[in-house]
Structures are given as C-alpha cells and as structure tokens.
Amino acid sequence: MKTYLQIWYNSDGNCSPPSEVNSRLMSLGFNLVRGPYDYVYDWESTATLDDVLRLGDKTHLTLAGTGVLFKIETD
C-alpha cells in the first residue's frame, strides 16, 4: 500500500524553498519519486483509513508555515 503526495509551490508569496520542504517530508518517511507525484510513502503493510488520516495530519503539521499546498492519495 502506498500514499502519494503532490506539492504545489507559490512563487509569488512567502513559500519555503523546495530543499526545505523536501527535508521536512523526508523526516516523515516520504521518498522522492519521478512521475505524476512528487513523493511516496510506502506502508510496510496494509494501512487503515485512520493510519492514512494520521499521516495526513502529520504532513499538515510538518508543512505548516511553508506556504505550500499538498494533496495525498492512497492506493
């Protein structure tokens, strides 16, 4: 099971640089990927909906103040 993450940066506002955002996301266990998504979180087993929501909450708190928007998708 994997959770994918897309990041949107705002170049006109106060937005943290991609390298800082990357460091924050890597600390949560996300990995950079190529393709339609920017990051992936690879669950070691099947995750519950509560697990995914907690990861979304952690991502939200970790990215707070960076000025970026994000979208998560799990399959």
Side-chain angles (χ1 to χ4, degrees):
M1 187 170 203
K2 296 178 187 228
T3 296
Y4 298 95
L5 180 70
Q6 285 182 312
I7 300 292
W8 289 278
Y9 294 91
N10 179 356
S11 61
D12 291 331
N14 293 331
C15 193
S16 297
S19 58
E20 180 183 330
V21 172
N22 180 64
S23 294
R24 291 182 183 208
L25 292 171
M26 299 291 275
S27 74
L28 289 179
F30 282 97
N31 292 302
L32 278 168
V33 293
R34 289 185 180 182
Y37 301 101
D38 301 309
Y39 294 88
V40 65
Y41 186 93
D42 196 358
W43 299 90
E44 293 185 10
S45 60
T46 302
T48 66
L49 181 55
D50 285 337
D51 294 331
V52 175
L53 289 174
R54 278 193 294 274
L55 179 62
D57 288 347
K58 288 179 187 178
T59 304
H60 175 76
L61 289 172
T62 298
L63 295 177
T66 62
V68 300
L69 299 174
F70 72 95
K71 174 188 166 190
I72 59 173
E73 185 177 315
T74 300
D75 69 1

